[in-house]
Amino acid sequence: MGNEELFKEIDLIQGCIKRMASNSFLVKGWALSVFAGVTAITKGENLNDIVLLTCTTLVPFVCFWILDAYFLQTERRFRLMYSDRLKKREQNDYSNLYDLNPNKYNVDSICKVMWSITLRVFYGIPFIICIIVLLHKIIEECPCICH
């Protein structure tokens, strides 16, 4: 087995890791764009606008959060694959050469990844802000709730 083939396999795995990180970055950009765009378009003058704002912001935002967690989970799997392949190749084990299926590497579930510190801060803060604004507008529009 030549070194060129082994380096090519490692390059392929590194490319997958880079793609997952890039996808995660793009998802974060889209999530912020949707959040900012819908917030700017909706004036929030009455309760109906606020409900519309919350639904059109929170639903896609949660979908982006889940998608970002999926990409981060897949990136973690490829990182495990990378480490595993380096150890195997050092031991002259050439099994599974060019097998790029990351699903056999166990990492945290998508739910756990969603609540990792970076995703929790990035997606959680705008999510909580939307909920607070919605609750504030509901209380403001319906004085019967407080009195």
Side-chain angles (χ1 to χ4, degrees):
M1 186 68 46
N3 280 343
E4 188 175 314
E5 291 173 341
L6 297 178
F7 288 134
K8 184 63 178 168
E9 178 187 35
I10 296 301
D11 285 344
L12 288 171
I13 296 172
Q14 286 175 337
C16 292
I17 293 169
K18 188 182 283 188
R19 238 184 345 269
M20 293 302 118
S22 175
N23 289 343
S24 180
F25 180 77
L26 288 172
V27 166
K28 284 179 178 72
W30 276 102
L32 283 181
S33 297
V34 167
F35 182 75
V38 172
T39 303
I41 290 172
T42 308
K43 295 183 174 139
E45 295 173 358
N46 61 32
L47 187 59
N48 291 334
D49 287 345
I50 292 301
V51 171
L52 177 67
L53 167 72
T54 304
C55 291
T56 58
T57 301
L58 289 182
V59 171
F61 207 69
V62 169
C63 291
F64 284 126
W65 193 348
I66 293 168
L67 188 60
D68 198 2
Y70 170 76
F71 287 132
L72 184 56
Q73 180 192 45
T74 306
E75 179 184 343
R76 288 177 180 178
R77 285 182 171 156
F78 275 111
R79 288 181 184 276
L80 282 176
M81 177 189 289
Y82 181 84
S83 298
D84 183 49
R85 292 295 167 82
L86 287 179
K87 288 177 189 172
K88 282 183 177 180
R89 298 316 176 235
E90 285 177 356
Q91 298 168 354
N92 292 325
D93 180 0
Y94 300 108
S95 61
N96 300 327
L97 191 64
Y98 293 110
D99 180 13
L100 296 179
N101 182 5
N103 293 326
K104 55 186 159 190
Y105 295 92
N106 293 326
V107 294
D108 291 335
S109 68
I110 287 183
C111 291
K112 277 191 173 183
V113 175
M114 279 180 69
W115 292 103
S116 66
I117 187 69
T118 54
L119 295 185
R120 185 173 53 217
V121 169
F122 185 84
Y123 291 100
I125 291 172
F127 184 83
I128 290 170
I129 289 171
C130 273
I131 298 298
I132 290 170
V133 167
L134 177 65
L135 292 175
H136 179 269
K137 283 295 188 180
I138 288 173
I139 291 170
E140 188 179 277
E141 292 276 331
C142 302
C144 60
I145 293 175
C146 294
H147 304 294

